[in-house]
Each structure stands twice: as structure tokens, then as C-alpha cells.
């Protein structure tokens, strides 16, 4: 169907009486009628713990180290005005119109240029624009995963991918990470085991750069080995790379897409959320044409096309300004905030606690002494000490992660980070005391 046909459908008049059907007016018993009718994919869907914690970030009394907020405050008003003015002047009608499902050609060209700068060769036809990196993940899972299919993902994995994994009823096998990222040797072991069990994984979902939430980066040697495995074992690798440009220490590493060198085993996902703005909700997928064709159909079902207005804003911004200057400014801010968090953790955490030292991205992963359950700790931290973080269980689908947490260092300034970690230290100390009082420590 031509999406424009929608425009001819008159808007429905909703009679005032319909308001009594609003969810808020239903009793729990009324609401239960739906339970038996929910599709299994809706019944089994697990929320992203980060989204559940979003409301805490809005409470002014709480210091939130939970969100994944890039620093949008440093985006200059004059730049925004100029870009929006250019869109209004030169592209108003088309910016307000539907666009192609695969995205504006000009934007796909810009994406190809950006990828080339990072060393990754792609053609415009390899690119589909998505509504954020989130849709790119969802389309990847939707396109390949049937209910009950196995997929591999790091443990911990991105909590925001959990609703997609569960919607499509994937069985997630976590593969551990260490300071060099995904344990690629254990990927091979998992492939052997799953083949023997008769359920070879449909794909591996991985975040090689500045893992969210792990804070670690896959080494070059492991990247090469992973690509060798993908080629030898015919494994599809979904490389989620929202943070590749957010490096403030060390040298950039080639993407898996680049190392795959056109062999077609890597699907590369990225986004403008961290290099420009998460508010524009523009991301992309680079994939072989046969895969993109299927994903295009999936996207038609989801949203017809990504906001043309947003895409136009991104194109005009990329044409008029050097996005790398802005990213360099952001990275300087993040580096200083990361350092503030590392210093504060050193001062406030007990000696048994450990944490990762990210060279980029927005997060680090901290592991507490084993007697601390971070889900319980969050309740105490929020209620008594007014500080929030993402508890580790939200990053696993197998119940693990109870001793860990994700801490964000991009969203608040250095002084607030120091105060937030100080409060967190008090909460940890209180739980440690309790444990000791119960005779748990000798
Ligand atoms: N993948 C990862 C690993 C992320 O951290 C994020 C954002 N937090 C996304 C995807 C989603 O990106 P977007 O905001 O562009 O939807």
C-alpha cells in the first residue's frame, strides 16, 4: 500500500464515553481479562531495566548514575538554529513528507562517508536508515529469530536489547567477557556445545567498542579471531557499534564489518544518538542486500520510514558542520567525567569491589563483594541515599549479574559524580555492616 493513502483516511472521532475504557478506570480484576489473550510474545516480554529506571532520573532529589544520557547540553544553540533554518528554507515540504523506507539517499551517502573515515567500506545500497540503533537491534532479531531459536550474546549484554530478545522468544546463551572484551575462545566452545545439542545459534550479538554495560573493548586479536570463526563456522555476527566514535583514550580498532571484508557474515548497527543526539532517533544498519531486503519489509511493518524531518536535520548538520569537532568536545567532557568516577570509586568502594576502566563510551561495570545483591542495594540507595544505578541482573537473561551494576558517567558533571559515588559508597557500607552483623563475615 502506498503509505500516502493513510492521509486520506479521516481522523476518527472518539466519543467522550470511550474514556471510561481508559486503563486507569479498570480494576485489576477487569484488567485480568486480557492476560489469557496476550500473545506469547507479549506475555513473555521482559522490560529493559534502564527504561524502568528512567523515571528516577527525572526526580530532582536523586542523583542518577543509571541513565545512558549523552551530554546534549553542549550542543550549540546557534548550530541547531542554523540547521533547522536550512531545513525549513530549502526542504520544508519534503521534510514534512513520508520518505523511502530505507532512508534518504543523501543521508545514506553521508553514512557511507562516515564509515569510510573509520576504515569501513560500504556502498549506499548496503545502508538502511533506522529509527535509532534500537530499531536496528529489533530488526536484526526479528529478521533472523524464530521462537525458541538460540542466540549468543555477551554476559552482561545491553539491557535495551532484552525486550527484543524476549519479544521474539530467543534463547540467549551468554558468553563471558574479560578486560579484552568477548571471550572469543568461549564462543567456539559454545558453538560446539550448541551444535551437539542440536540448536546452533542463529547469530551472535556483540558490542565490540566500549561495551554497554561492560565498559570493555574487544582486542584486535579477538576481532580477527571472531571473524575467522564466523567465516569458518558460518556464524552471523551482529555488531552493535553506537560508541565507536566515543573514544577518549587509546587507538581506534577496525570494526568487525571492516574485518569481514565483504564476506557477508557481519551486520553492522550504529546510530547518531551518541555523536549528534539521541533525540533525533536516527540510526542505521549496514548489511548484505539480501538481508536488507527482509529488514526493509520488517521496517515497513514497524514505522514505514524513519522521521524524514529528523533525517533532514541530520543531513543538513553533517553538510554544514564538522561532526568530528563536536564529538571531540564531547569526548573531552566524557574523559574528565570518567576520571572523576574512577577517582571516586577508588575512594568510596570497599577493597573487594572491582570495576572496568573504559577507554570510551558512557559506562563502566562495577562488581561488588558477593554478599551484596545490587537489586536490594538499589532499593536502599534510592530510598535512603538518593542515588540510582542499573542493577546487573537487567543485563543477563539467566539470572546472573546480582553482584554487579552499571554506572553511567556521561550524564552528570564531575562534582555530582563524586557525590553520587559517595552516596553509593554509604549504601554499600550499610549493606556490608548488615551482612557482618548477621555473622556473614569472619
Ligand atoms: N545499542 C547499544 C549498545 C546502546 O547502548 C544503545 C543506546 N543506549 C542503543 C543500541 C540504542 O541506540 P539509540 O538511542 O540510537 O536507539
Amino acid at each position: 500500500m502506498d503509505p500516502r493513502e493513510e492521509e486520506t483516511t479521516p481522523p476518527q472521532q472518539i466519543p467522550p464515553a470511550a474514556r471510561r475504557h481508559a486503563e486507569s478506570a479498570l480494576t485489576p480484576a477487569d484488567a485480568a481479562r486480557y492476560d489469557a489473550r496476550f500473545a506469547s510474545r507479549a506475555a513473555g516480554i521482559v522490560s529493559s531495566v534502564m527504561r524502568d529506571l528512567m523515571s528516577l532520573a527525572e526526580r530532582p532529589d536523586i542523583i542518577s548514575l543509571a541513565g545512558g544520557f549523552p551530554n546534549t547540553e553542549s550542543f550549540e544553540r546557534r548550530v541547531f538554529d542554523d540547521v533547522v533554518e536550512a531545513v525549513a528554507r530549502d526542504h520544508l515540504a519534503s521534510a514534512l513528507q513520508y520518505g523511502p523506507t530505507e532512508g534518504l539517499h543523501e543521508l545514506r551517502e553521508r553514512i557511507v562517508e562516515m564509515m569510510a573515515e573509520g576504515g569501513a567500506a560500504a556502498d549506499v545500497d548496503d545502508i538502511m536508515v533506522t529509527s535509532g540503533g534500537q530499531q536496528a537491534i529489533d530488526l536484526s532479531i526479528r529478521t533472523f529469530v524464530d521462537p525458541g531459536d538460540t542466540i549468543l550474546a555477551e554476559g552482561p549484554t545491553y539491557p535495551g536489547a532484552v525486550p527484543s530478545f524476549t519479544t521474539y522468544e530467543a534463547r540467549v546463551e551468554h558468553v563471558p567477557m574479560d578486560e579484552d572484551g568477548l571471550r572469543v575462545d568461549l564462543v567456539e566452545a559454545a558453538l560446539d556445545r550448541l551444535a551437539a545439542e542440536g540448536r546452533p545459534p542463529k547469530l551472535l550479538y556483540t558490542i565490540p567498542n566500549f561495551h554497554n554495560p561492560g565498559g570493555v573493548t574487544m582486542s584486535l586479536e579477538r576481532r580477527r579471531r571472531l571473524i575467522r570463526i564466523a567465516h569458518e563456522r558460518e556464524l552471523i555476527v551482529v555488531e552493535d557499534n553506537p560508541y565507536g566514535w566515543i573514544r577518549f583514550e587509546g587507538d581506534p580498532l577496525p570494526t568487525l564489518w571492516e574485518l569481514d571484508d565483504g564476506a557477508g557474515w557481519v551486520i553492522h548497527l550504529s546510530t547518531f544518538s551518541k555523536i549528534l543526539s539521541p533525540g533525533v532517533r536516527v540510526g542505521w544498519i549496514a548489511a548484505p542486500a539480501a538481508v536488507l531486503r527482509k529488514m526493509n519489509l520488517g521496517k515497513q511493518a514497524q514505522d514505514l520510514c524513519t522521521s524524514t524531518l529528523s533525517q533532514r536535520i541530520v543531513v543538513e548538520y553533517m553538510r554544514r558542520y564538522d561532526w568530528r569537532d563536536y564529538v571531540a568536545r564531547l569526548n573531552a567532557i566524557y574523559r574528565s567525567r570518567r576520571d572523576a568516577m574512577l577517582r571516586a570509586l577508588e575512594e568510596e568502594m570497599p577493597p573487594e569491589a572491582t570495576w572496568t576502566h573504559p577507554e570510551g563510551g558512557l559506562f563502566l561495570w562495577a562488581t561488588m563483594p558477593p554478599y551484596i545483591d545490587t537489586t536490594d542495594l538499589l532499593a536502599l540507595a534510592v530510598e535512603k541515599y538518593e542515588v540510582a544505578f542499573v542493577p546487573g541482573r537487567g543485563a543477563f537473561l539467566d539470572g546472573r549479574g546480582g553482584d554487579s551494576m552499571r554506572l553511567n558517567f556521561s550524564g552528570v558533571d564531575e562534582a555530582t559524580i563524586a557525590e553520587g559515588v559517595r552516596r553509593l559508597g554509604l549504601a554499600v557500607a550499610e549493606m556490608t555492616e548488615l551482612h557482618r552483623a548477621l555473622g556473614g563475615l569472619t
Side-chain angles (χ1 to χ4, degrees):
M1 178 184 107
D2 180 347
R4 285 160 213 215
E5 278 173 32
E6 275 196 3
E7 292 166 298
T8 59
T9 313
Q12 281 194 333
Q13 294 299 315
I14 300 174
R19 265 192 235 121
R20 76 188 138 86
H21 292 301
E23 196 178 3
S24 57
L26 292 180
T27 66
D30 289 335
R33 75 174 71 123
Y34 305 113
D35 289 346
R37 293 173 165 86
F38 283 135
S40 61
R41 89 183 75 84
I45 190 166
V46 175
S47 169
S48 159
V49 68
M50 300 171 325
R51 303 307 302 176
D52 296 342
L53 291 168
M54 275 293 265
S55 53
L56 286 181
E58 280 165 9
R59 270 175 55 182
D61 49 328
I62 302 248
I63 294 179
S64 178
L65 305 174
F69 290 176
N71 178 293
T72 46
E73 272 136 46
S74 40
F75 198 85
E76 288 173 84
R77 165 79 195 268
R78 101 188 141 75
V79 174
F80 184 79
D81 284 349
D82 182 44
V83 166
V84 172
E85 163 68 22
V87 172
R89 191 182 54 238
D90 303 332
H91 303 282
L92 186 57
S94 68
L96 297 179
Q97 193 51 272
Y98 292 105
T101 301
E102 62 276 16
L104 297 182
H105 198 271
E106 274 176 274
L107 178 56
R108 291 156 69 217
E109 283 171 352
R110 299 278 153 198
I111 291 169
V112 167
E113 283 165 21
M114 283 178 71
M115 286 182 67
E117 251 187 76
D123 194 75
V124 173
D125 292 335
D126 298 328
I127 307 294
M128 181 167 90
V129 175
T130 57
S131 299
Q134 194 65 34
Q135 184 179 48
I137 297 172
D138 197 76
L139 285 172
S140 303
I141 306 302
R142 174 188 176 110
T143 302
F144 287 105
V145 172
D146 281 320
D149 277 350
T150 298
I151 62 173
L152 298 174
E154 283 122 349
T157 189
Y158 169 47
V162 168
S164 291
F165 295 160
T166 49
T167 295
Y168 302 111
E169 302 173 57
R171 290 170 74 180
V172 178
E173 292 280 327
H174 290 292
V175 183
M177 289 186 285
D178 61 19
E179 61 278 10
D180 284 329
L182 178 69
R183 289 276 308 273
V184 173
D185 54 327
L186 298 181
V187 171
E188 283 193 282
L191 289 174
D192 289 338
R193 178 173 54 79
L194 292 168
E197 289 173 18
R199 51 182 191 112
K202 278 281 180 74
L203 55 85
L204 162 72
Y205 168 77
T206 178
I207 307 160
N209 289 317
F210 324 121
H211 192 275
N212 175 8
V216 294
T217 292
M218 198 190 296
S219 68
L220 179 57
E221 196 199 329
R222 287 198 188 166
R223 289 174 195 230
R224 292 212 169 103
R225 184 163 171 194
L226 180 59
I227 292 302
R228 261 203 316 277
I229 294 169
H231 291 182
E232 282 165 19
R233 316 276 293 245
E234 306 199 330
L235 174 67
I236 291 176
V237 176
V238 176
E239 171 183 45
D240 192 9
N241 189 35
Y243 303 105
W245 298 100
I246 310 299
R247 176 181 276 283
F248 34 80
E249 204 175 286
D251 295 322
L253 294 169
T255 57
L256 299 174
W257 171 271
E258 180 183 344
L259 296 173
D260 182 53
D261 200 18
W265 290 105
V266 174
I267 294 170
H268 178 89
L269 320 181
S270 195
T271 174
F272 287 95
S273 291
K274 309 296 164 6
I275 52 184
L276 169 57
S277 140
V280 296
R281 310 302 306 130
V282 178
W284 72 90
I285 302 173
V291 174
L292 277 192
R293 269 196 296 279
K294 284 289 177 210
M295 288 182 165
N296 187 300
L297 298 174
K299 184 168 165 63
Q300 289 176 30
Q302 289 182 340
D303 63 1
L304 303 178
C305 66
T306 293
S307 160
T308 339
L309 182 57
S310 280
Q311 291 186 67
R312 207 21 100 183
I313 286 173
V314 176
V315 171
E316 287 307 312
Y317 171 71
M318 304 292 279
R319 276 178 39 173
R320 285 154 183 272
Y321 295 92
D322 190 341
W323 59 275
R324 286 154 307 193
D325 289 347
Y326 179 56
V327 169
R329 280 215 322 278
L330 286 179
N331 283 347
I333 294 169
Y334 296 155
R335 183 189 179 117
S336 155
R337 291 181 176 186
R338 179 214 49 184
D339 290 345
M341 181 166 275
L342 291 176
R343 270 195 311 274
L345 287 167
E346 210 62 66
E347 280 163 22
E348 308 292 347
M349 286 295 139
E352 312 97 293
T354 59
W355 49 89
T356 54
H357 290 237
E359 294 187 325
L362 312 182
F363 309 102
L364 62 78
W365 181 252
T367 304
M368 297 293 110
Y371 50 84
I372 288 188
D373 183 305
T374 53
T375 307
D376 297 342
L377 181 70
L378 178 66
L380 177 70
V382 167
E383 287 315 317
K384 186 160 169 192
Y385 296 100
E386 301 184 322
V387 60
F389 55 85
V390 173
R393 277 208 190 88
F396 286 88
L397 284 110
D398 60 6
R400 281 184 295 155
D403 61 355
S404 302
M405 63 175 81
R406 187 190 79 174
L407 295 175
N408 166 266
F409 51 78
S410 62
V412 290
D413 63 22
E414 288 80 348
T416 314
I417 288 173
E419 174 58 15
V421 175
R422 189 187 71 81
R423 294 182 190 184
L424 192 54
L426 293 174
V428 170
E430 183 171 332
M431 286 197 85
T432 305
E433 269 315 306
L434 186 67
H435 177 72
R436 203 169 270 150
L438 294 172
L441 286 183
T442 50

